Amino acid sequence: MTDIDKDIREIRAREKFLPDSLENPEKPLTEDFWMYALAKEKRGSMINLQIISTCQLKCTFCRGSIDKTQLNKISKNSVMQNSDFIEIVDKCVSAGVVYFELTPAVGEPFLDDTLFDKLDYLEQNPGVDIFLVTSNLLKVNEEQVKRLLKYKKLLFAVSVYGYDNESYTANTGQKFFDKFMQNIELLYSCMKQSSGYHVEFSMRYGDKYKD
């Protein structure tokens, strides 16, 4: 990688993750920043594990756009067994993978009853630096949220599918906006009582609903 390539990569990283830092480009970005923001760009350092393929939503751009026969085929073996998960993680770590994403292409991690067993394994594994979990936040309770916020290696991402009942329902095919907002309030409440967590929000509704 040339010096120019490195400069371009840093500018793009600042624009995407730390736009305020563009006003102070001399300030070096921390090691933690590069790990969280750009680990996936380093060959061999990141892997996405599809641990589940079931979901409560029928998003127009996700499950709603998949042929029913194909969707049934995808969901046939819906949850990755813990023994398989551990074996895969161990092999990945031995190959130099340090960043694990548990963000299903068409699923919701919290529908996996063994999710926390998997997260505990990643948290306690010295070869794992970061693990990302993305959720629609519909199937969480207070005990689970508090447990999530205690993980030191976790980057927790919340998918936002709309800003009101109409936009949420149009995108997801389900009337769960009130439940989503209830759990957002729960998350914020727990965050106020915690420290050291990493939470981000991913806007997943289309241009139709943008101002």
Side-chain angles (χ1 to χ4, degrees):
M1 180 181 291
T2 67
D3 289 339
I4 293 177
D5 290 331
K6 291 179 181 178
D7 289 343
I8 291 174
R9 187 182 73 159
E10 178 163 335
I11 290 172
R12 288 176 175 172
R14 289 180 184 273
E15 287 178 336
K16 183 174 182 180
F17 297 97
L18 290 175
D20 292 342
S21 73
L22 288 172
E23 298 177 3
N24 185 13
E26 299 303 320
K27 182 179 179 181
L29 297 173
T30 66
E31 223 174 281
D32 286 343
F33 165 80
W34 285 111
M35 178 57 71
Y36 277 96
L38 299 175
K40 63 180 65 179
E41 292 187 3
K42 300 175 183 176
R43 179 176 295 180
S45 68
M46 186 278 283
I47 190 169
N48 187 307
L49 300 183
Q50 302 294 310
I51 63 171
I52 192 167
S53 58
T54 57
C55 184
Q56 314 98 314
L57 303 178
K58 300 177 181 178
C59 297
T60 54
F61 46 83
C62 183
R63 301 178 72 84
S65 64
I66 301 175
D67 176 80
K68 288 186 178 180
T69 300
Q70 184 65 20
L71 185 59
N72 289 335
K73 184 178 179 180
I74 292 173
S75 303
K76 188 174 182 180
N77 298 312
S78 61
V79 180
M80 181 184 292
Q81 298 299 310
N82 280 353
S83 56
D84 294 333
F85 179 81
I86 290 173
E87 181 179 358
I88 292 172
V89 169
D90 287 349
K91 288 182 178 179
C92 289
V93 168
S94 66
V97 176
V98 298
Y99 179 12
F100 290 78
E101 288 194 2
L102 307 188
T103 303
V106 293
E108 164 53 39
F110 281 88
L111 293 177
D112 176 1
D113 292 334
T114 67
L115 174 63
F116 280 96
D117 293 331
K118 293 178 171 70
L119 300 187
D120 285 345
Y121 189 75
L122 293 173
E123 179 76 10
Q124 296 163 9
N125 193 315
V128 176
D129 288 343
I130 299 171
F131 54 98
L132 169 76
V133 176
T134 303
S135 171
N136 59 35
L137 211 65
L138 294 176
K139 192 179 183 296
V140 297
N141 56 44
E142 184 174 357
E143 179 183 355
Q144 290 174 325
V145 172
K146 287 182 176 179
R147 186 172 175 180
L148 275 177
L149 297 178
K150 290 181 180 178
Y151 289 119
K152 301 302 182 184
K153 299 179 181 179
L154 172 66
L155 175 58
F156 185 52
V158 178
S159 294
V160 182
Y161 293 98
Y163 56 83
D164 59 12
N165 276 296
E166 182 182 0
S167 58
Y168 191 95
T169 303
N171 281 310
T172 66
Q174 301 287 3
K175 296 182 178 181
F176 292 154
F177 182 73
D178 290 341
K179 179 63 175 177
F180 172 72
M181 290 304 300
Q182 176 184 328
N183 285 341
I184 282 287
E185 292 176 3
L186 170 63
L187 175 61
Y188 271 112
S189 175
C190 292
M191 287 168 63
K192 289 179 181 178
Q193 304 171 37
S194 305
S195 62
Y197 52 79
H198 297 273
V199 178
E200 66 178 33
F201 294 87
S202 298
M203 312 305 288
R204 301 191 185 280
Y205 51 88
D207 292 337
K208 180 179 178 181
Y209 298 104
K210 290 181 180 179
D211 294 330

